[in-house]
Amino acid sequence: MSEAIKTDVVIIGGGIVGASAALFLRTRGVQVILIDAAQCGSKASGVNYGGVRRQGRSLELLPLSQRAFDLWAQIKMLIGIDGEYIRSGHLKLARNRDDFGVLEAYREQTRGFGMHLELMSGAALQKRFPWVGPSVYGASLCPEDGHANPRIVSPAFARAALRAGAVIMENTRVVAASRSSQGFELQCDNGQHLQCAQLLNCAGAWGADIARLFGEDTPLVAIHPAMAVTEPLPAFIDVNIGIQGGGAYIRQVERGNCVVGGARGFATDNNYAKPGGEAIGVIMQRLGELVPGLRHAQLIRTWSGYEGSFGDGKPVIGPSATTPGLYHAFGFCGEGFQTGPAVGEMLADFVTKGETGIPVAPFSIQRFGR
Ligand SMILES: Cc1cc2nc3c(=O)[nH]c(=O)nc-3n(C[C@H](O)[C@H](O)[C@H](O)COP(=O)(O)OP(=O)(O)OC[C@H]3O[C@@H](n4cnc5c(N)ncnc54)[C@H](O)[C@@H]3O)c2cc1C
């Protein structure tokens, strides 16, 4: 066995959650090793849709989402690039009166979060967004939500952590972990042996495997959103679009390509997933009805990815129920890219202060029992 490398904190998982935790910890002077089984930012954090929205988040998630909104405003200062982040607005479409009622109720429930939701329907909607199809009943606009390019943002968090002094180990999988009175001992598949005082489980859709090493079973399942991108089209969509009730989403980037998603693909093994032709057909049919300008667009690439889901719409964030010094932040589903920077900051709070100002009780691992 190789000699142990010692550090203050080891972070398992170099997605946007783990990499931002590494960055915030380094800015507070904490020694960090960030370890990833593949490349930092190559899993969900690098292949997602790129939606950076608060609209539609649950009341429990909104304080975290709101803090992330503030951090996204500082993205260039944090990671050195703007990540193609723009506050385009997020427009949530309602197909019928009932769905519009849900949007109206959401606006009432979330007053006080500063989202300034604007509801519109009929002629007013068509006038403001002429590319919306006539079958759309109404919509809710969150003017300051937006989108970004995950392929460049998430690896940039890891690079920023590296510049700030974090040690990064890629293509290195943690295969065993335990805690003794001396702290944590980790074994990696390449023979590396690490010791640390505190451990962060940021292993995304694989986070349940790490939690299980410490006697914590969680009902995490992996899901695989299907994604595609069109050929460059003349600019016509100037907001990030979702649909009440789900089912499809679309954003157009500066080069003209439209990024779309909304149905489920499938796993090919424990690491990779494919969208499948059927899911892509479903997405394009749904979007073609709501945004007619897309009907004849050619797709130039399709893909999918791995994200975790507990089925209750919430991740696990916070201290382990069994092991002092271990903090979990995994099982993020459609919200992890937007909230990731704020989760990283929260984890740095836990490590350096033992607490965080953002309510985390709803995300406790204890909600699944012991
Ligand atoms: C197709 C798709 C579309 C999405 N769209 C959006 C969106 O529009 N907006 C949004 O906010 N969210 C979206 N999400 C969700 C978002 O991408 C994720 O919630 C977020 O990226 C999770 O980040 P993470 O750091 O927790 O996980 P990941 O990015 O998956 O990172 C976890 C890392 O842990 C590593 N790892 C796992 N096990 C080990 C181990 N034993 N040892 C070492 N390393 C390990 C993995 O290699 C991986 O790099 C989408 C997800 C997908 C897949």
PDB file of all heavy atoms in Angstrom, residues 114-133:
ATOM      1  N   GLY A 114     -38.493  37.630  -4.583  1.00  0.00           N
ATOM      2  CA  GLY A 114     -37.868  38.565  -5.525  1.00  0.00           C
ATOM      3  C   GLY A 114     -37.801  38.057  -6.950  1.00  0.00           C
ATOM      4  O   GLY A 114     -36.937  38.486  -7.714  1.00  0.00           O
ATOM      5  N   MET A 115     -38.715  37.155  -7.315  1.00  0.00           N
ATOM      6  CA  MET A 115     -38.647  36.651  -8.702  1.00  0.00           C
ATOM      7  C   MET A 115     -39.404  37.543  -9.680  1.00  0.00           C
ATOM      8  O   MET A 115     -39.238  37.412 -10.879  1.00  0.00           O
ATOM      9  CB  MET A 115     -39.185  35.221  -8.767  1.00  0.00           C
ATOM     10  CG  MET A 115     -38.231  34.217  -8.159  1.00  0.00           C
ATOM     11  SD  MET A 115     -38.636  32.522  -8.619  1.00  0.00           S
ATOM     12  CE  MET A 115     -40.042  32.199  -7.595  1.00  0.00           C
ATOM     13  N   HIS A 116     -40.287  38.402  -9.173  1.00  0.00           N
ATOM     14  CA  HIS A 116     -41.027  39.352 -10.021  1.00  0.00           C
ATOM     15  C   HIS A 116     -41.716  38.658 -11.194  1.00  0.00           C
ATOM     16  O   HIS A 116     -41.568  39.060 -12.354  1.00  0.00           O
ATOM     17  CB  HIS A 116     -40.088  40.453 -10.541  1.00  0.00           C
ATOM     18  CG  HIS A 116     -39.263  41.084  -9.460  1.00  0.00           C
ATOM     19  ND1 HIS A 116     -39.812  41.803  -8.423  1.00  0.00           N
ATOM     20  CD2 HIS A 116     -37.931  41.068  -9.221  1.00  0.00           C
ATOM     21  CE1 HIS A 116     -38.853  42.226  -7.613  1.00  0.00           C
ATOM     22  NE2 HIS A 116     -37.705  41.779  -8.061  1.00  0.00           N
ATOM     23  N   LEU A 117     -42.468  37.606 -10.905  1.00  0.00           N
ATOM     24  CA  LEU A 117     -43.116  36.834 -11.978  1.00  0.00           C
ATOM     25  C   LEU A 117     -44.192  37.660 -12.664  1.00  0.00           C
ATOM     26  O   LEU A 117     -45.005  38.308 -12.004  1.00  0.00           O
ATOM     27  CB  LEU A 117     -43.724  35.547 -11.403  1.00  0.00           C
ATOM     28  CG  LEU A 117     -42.718  34.601 -10.727  1.00  0.00           C
ATOM     29  CD1 LEU A 117     -43.429  33.374 -10.173  1.00  0.00           C
ATOM     30  CD2 LEU A 117     -41.625  34.193 -11.706  1.00  0.00           C
ATOM     31  N   GLU A 118     -44.167  37.625 -14.008  1.00  0.00           N
ATOM     32  CA  GLU A 118     -45.169  38.356 -14.795  1.00  0.00           C
ATOM     33  C   GLU A 118     -46.015  37.336 -15.543  1.00  0.00           C
ATOM     34  O   GLU A 118     -45.480  36.562 -16.336  1.00  0.00           O
ATOM     35  CB  GLU A 118     -44.485  39.232 -15.857  1.00  0.00           C
ATOM     36  CG  GLU A 118     -43.648  40.354 -15.325  1.00  0.00           C
ATOM     37  CD  GLU A 118     -42.849  41.004 -16.470  1.00  0.00           C
ATOM     38  OE1 GLU A 118     -43.340  41.104 -17.604  1.00  0.00           O
ATOM     39  OE2 GLU A 118     -41.693  41.364 -16.203  1.00  0.00           O
ATOM     40  N   LEU A 119     -47.330  37.344 -15.313  1.00  0.00           N
ATOM     41  CA  LEU A 119     -48.207  36.410 -16.022  1.00  0.00           C
ATOM     42  C   LEU A 119     -48.896  37.097 -17.181  1.00  0.00           C
ATOM     43  O   LEU A 119     -49.279  38.271 -17.069  1.00  0.00           O
ATOM     44  CB  LEU A 119     -49.242  35.818 -15.053  1.00  0.00           C
ATOM     45  CG  LEU A 119     -48.737  34.519 -14.395  1.00  0.00           C
ATOM     46  CD1 LEU A 119     -47.677  34.802 -13.359  1.00  0.00           C
ATOM     47  CD2 LEU A 119     -49.881  33.735 -13.801  1.00  0.00           C
ATOM     48  N   MET A 120     -49.033  36.375 -18.273  1.00  0.00           N
ATOM     49  CA  MET A 120     -49.710  36.946 -19.450  1.00  0.00           C
ATOM     50  C   MET A 120     -50.373  35.816 -20.221  1.00  0.00           C
ATOM     51  O   MET A 120     -49.965  34.653 -20.117  1.00  0.00           O
ATOM     52  CB  MET A 120     -48.712  37.697 -20.334  1.00  0.00           C
ATOM     53  CG  MET A 120     -47.615  36.846 -20.887  1.00  0.00           C
ATOM     54  SD  MET A 120     -46.166  37.827 -21.326  1.00  0.00           S
ATOM     55  CE  MET A 120     -45.200  37.713 -19.828  1.00  0.00           C
ATOM     56  N   SER A 121     -51.402  36.177 -20.998  1.00  0.00           N
ATOM     57  CA  SER A 121     -52.089  35.161 -21.798  1.00  0.00           C
ATOM     58  C   SER A 121     -52.652  35.809 -23.053  1.00  0.00           C
ATOM     59  O   SER A 121     -52.594  37.045 -23.214  1.00  0.00           O
ATOM     60  CB  SER A 121     -53.217  34.508 -20.981  1.00  0.00           C
ATOM     61  OG  SER A 121     -54.128  35.494 -20.564  1.00  0.00           O
ATOM     62  N   GLY A 122     -53.190  34.960 -23.940  1.00  0.00           N
ATOM     63  CA  GLY A 122     -53.875  35.431 -25.135  1.00  0.00           C
ATOM     64  C   GLY A 122     -53.045  36.402 -25.963  1.00  0.00           C
ATOM     65  O   GLY A 122     -51.855  36.191 -26.221  1.00  0.00           O
ATOM     66  N   ALA A 123     -53.691  37.521 -26.369  1.00  0.00           N
ATOM     67  CA  ALA A 123     -53.053  38.466 -27.283  1.00  0.00           C
ATOM     68  C   ALA A 123     -51.794  39.088 -26.663  1.00  0.00           C
ATOM     69  O   ALA A 123     -50.808  39.351 -27.366  1.00  0.00           O
ATOM     70  CB  ALA A 123     -54.048  39.564 -27.663  1.00  0.00           C
ATOM     71  N   ALA A 124     -51.837  39.322 -25.361  1.00  0.00           N
ATOM     72  CA  ALA A 124     -50.670  39.941 -24.718  1.00  0.00           C
ATOM     73  C   ALA A 124     -49.449  39.028 -24.835  1.00  0.00           C
ATOM     74  O   ALA A 124     -48.326  39.490 -25.093  1.00  0.00           O
ATOM     75  CB  ALA A 124     -50.986  40.225 -23.254  1.00  0.00           C
ATOM     76  N   LEU A 125     -49.661  37.731 -24.662  1.00  0.00           N
ATOM     77  CA  LEU A 125     -48.559  36.762 -24.788  1.00  0.00           C
ATOM     78  C   LEU A 125     -48.044  36.738 -26.230  1.00  0.00           C
ATOM     79  O   LEU A 125     -46.830  36.791 -26.470  1.00  0.00           O
ATOM     80  CB  LEU A 125     -49.050  35.365 -24.369  1.00  0.00           C
ATOM     81  CG  LEU A 125     -48.058  34.224 -24.582  1.00  0.00           C
ATOM     82  CD1 LEU A 125     -46.829  34.388 -23.698  1.00  0.00           C
ATOM     83  CD2 LEU A 125     -48.718  32.873 -24.292  1.00  0.00           C
ATOM     84  N   GLN A 126     -48.974  36.662 -27.195  1.00  0.00           N
ATOM     85  CA  GLN A 126     -48.577  36.598 -28.602  1.00  0.00           C
ATOM     86  C   GLN A 126     -47.818  37.854 -29.026  1.00  0.00           C
ATOM     87  O   GLN A 126     -46.884  37.795 -29.816  1.00  0.00           O
ATOM     88  CB  GLN A 126     -49.825  36.444 -29.493  1.00  0.00           C
ATOM     89  CG  GLN A 126     -50.561  35.126 -29.297  1.00  0.00           C
ATOM     90  CD  GLN A 126     -49.727  33.923 -29.729  1.00  0.00           C
ATOM     91  OE1 GLN A 126     -48.922  34.035 -30.644  1.00  0.00           O
ATOM     92  NE2 GLN A 126     -49.897  32.800 -29.048  1.00  0.00           N
ATOM     93  N   LYS A 127     -48.243  38.994 -28.467  1.00  0.00           N
ATOM     94  CA  LYS A 127     -47.583  40.245 -28.841  1.00  0.00           C
ATOM     95  C   LYS A 127     -46.144  40.279 -28.308  1.00  0.00           C
ATOM     96  O   LYS A 127     -45.212  40.655 -29.015  1.00  0.00           O
ATOM     97  CB  LYS A 127     -48.395  41.419 -28.276  1.00  0.00           C
ATOM     98  CG  LYS A 127     -47.905  42.740 -28.769  1.00  0.00           C
ATOM     99  CD  LYS A 127     -48.877  43.853 -28.458  1.00  0.00           C
ATOM    100  CE  LYS A 127     -48.260  45.164 -28.915  1.00  0.00           C
ATOM    101  NZ  LYS A 127     -48.476  46.246 -28.032  1.00  0.00           N
ATOM    102  N   ARG A 128     -45.999  39.838 -27.062  1.00  0.00           N
ATOM    103  CA  ARG A 128     -44.657  39.915 -26.456  1.00  0.00           C
ATOM    104  C   ARG A 128     -43.726  38.826 -26.985  1.00  0.00           C
ATOM    105  O   ARG A 128     -42.525  39.037 -27.145  1.00  0.00           O
ATOM    106  CB  ARG A 128     -44.830  39.794 -24.935  1.00  0.00           C
ATOM    107  CG  ARG A 128     -43.560  39.849 -24.163  1.00  0.00           C
ATOM    108  CD  ARG A 128     -43.551  41.013 -23.201  1.00  0.00           C
ATOM    109  NE  ARG A 128     -42.329  41.029 -22.434  1.00  0.00           N
ATOM    110  CZ  ARG A 128     -42.286  41.114 -21.125  1.00  0.00           C
ATOM    111  NH1 ARG A 128     -43.413  41.228 -20.439  1.00  0.00           N
ATOM    112  NH2 ARG A 128     -41.142  41.129 -20.502  1.00  0.00           N
ATOM    113  N   PHE A 129     -44.285  37.614 -27.229  1.00  0.00           N
ATOM    114  CA  PHE A 129     -43.474  36.486 -27.707  1.00  0.00           C
ATOM    115  C   PHE A 129     -44.140  35.897 -28.955  1.00  0.00           C
ATOM    116  O   PHE A 129     -44.794  34.856 -28.885  1.00  0.00           O
ATOM    117  CB  PHE A 129     -43.335  35.429 -26.605  1.00  0.00           C
ATOM    118  CG  PHE A 129     -42.676  35.952 -25.366  1.00  0.00           C
ATOM    119  CD1 PHE A 129     -43.421  36.211 -24.215  1.00  0.00           C
ATOM    120  CD2 PHE A 129     -41.317  36.219 -25.334  1.00  0.00           C
ATOM    121  CE1 PHE A 129     -42.816  36.709 -23.065  1.00  0.00           C
ATOM    122  CE2 PHE A 129     -40.705  36.721 -24.189  1.00  0.00           C
ATOM    123  CZ  PHE A 129     -41.456  36.972 -23.051  1.00  0.00           C
ATOM    124  N   PRO A 130     -43.966  36.531 -30.116  1.00  0.00           N
ATOM    125  CA  PRO A 130     -44.718  36.142 -31.311  1.00  0.00           C
ATOM    126  C   PRO A 130     -44.403  34.740 -31.829  1.00  0.00           C
ATOM    127  O   PRO A 130     -45.166  34.196 -32.624  1.00  0.00           O
ATOM    128  CB  PRO A 130     -44.320  37.206 -32.352  1.00  0.00           C
ATOM    129  CG  PRO A 130     -43.227  38.003 -31.764  1.00  0.00           C
ATOM    130  CD  PRO A 130     -43.127  37.722 -30.316  1.00  0.00           C
ATOM    131  N   TRP A 131     -43.299  34.149 -31.372  1.00  0.00           N
ATOM    132  CA  TRP A 131     -42.926  32.802 -31.828  1.00  0.00           C
ATOM    133  C   TRP A 131     -43.645  31.702 -31.040  1.00  0.00           C
ATOM    134  O   TRP A 131     -43.510  30.524 -31.344  1.00  0.00           O
ATOM    135  CB  TRP A 131     -41.410  32.620 -31.720  1.00  0.00           C
ATOM    136  CG  TRP A 131     -40.826  33.228 -30.479  1.00  0.00           C
ATOM    137  CD1 TRP A 131     -40.272  34.464 -30.358  1.00  0.00           C
ATOM    138  CD2 TRP A 131     -40.794  32.655 -29.168  1.00  0.00           C
ATOM    139  NE1 TRP A 131     -39.876  34.692 -29.064  1.00  0.00           N
ATOM    140  CE2 TRP A 131     -40.184  33.597 -28.315  1.00  0.00           C
ATOM    141  CE3 TRP A 131     -41.208  31.437 -28.639  1.00  0.00           C
ATOM    142  CZ2 TRP A 131     -40.000  33.349 -26.956  1.00  0.00           C
ATOM    143  CZ3 TRP A 131     -41.027  31.186 -27.298  1.00  0.00           C
ATOM    144  CH2 TRP A 131     -40.422  32.152 -26.465  1.00  0.00           C
ATOM    145  N   VAL A 132     -44.407  32.073 -30.008  1.00  0.00           N
ATOM    146  CA  VAL A 132     -45.176  31.075 -29.243  1.00  0.00           C
ATOM    147  C   VAL A 132     -46.396  30.676 -30.072  1.00  0.00           C
ATOM    148  O   VAL A 132     -47.096  31.533 -30.613  1.00  0.00           O
ATOM    149  CB  VAL A 132     -45.617  31.669 -27.887  1.00  0.00           C
ATOM    150  CG1 VAL A 132     -46.649  30.774 -27.209  1.00  0.00           C
ATOM    151  CG2 VAL A 132     -44.413  31.855 -26.977  1.00  0.00           C
ATOM    152  N   GLY A 133     -46.656  29.365 -30.180  1.00  0.00           N
ATOM    153  CA  GLY A 133     -47.761  28.870 -30.996  1.00  0.00           C
ATOM    154  C   GLY A 133     -49.120  29.258 -30.431  1.00  0.00           C
ATOM    155  O   GLY A 133     -49.255  29.519 -29.229  1.00  0.00           O
TER     156      GLY A 133
END
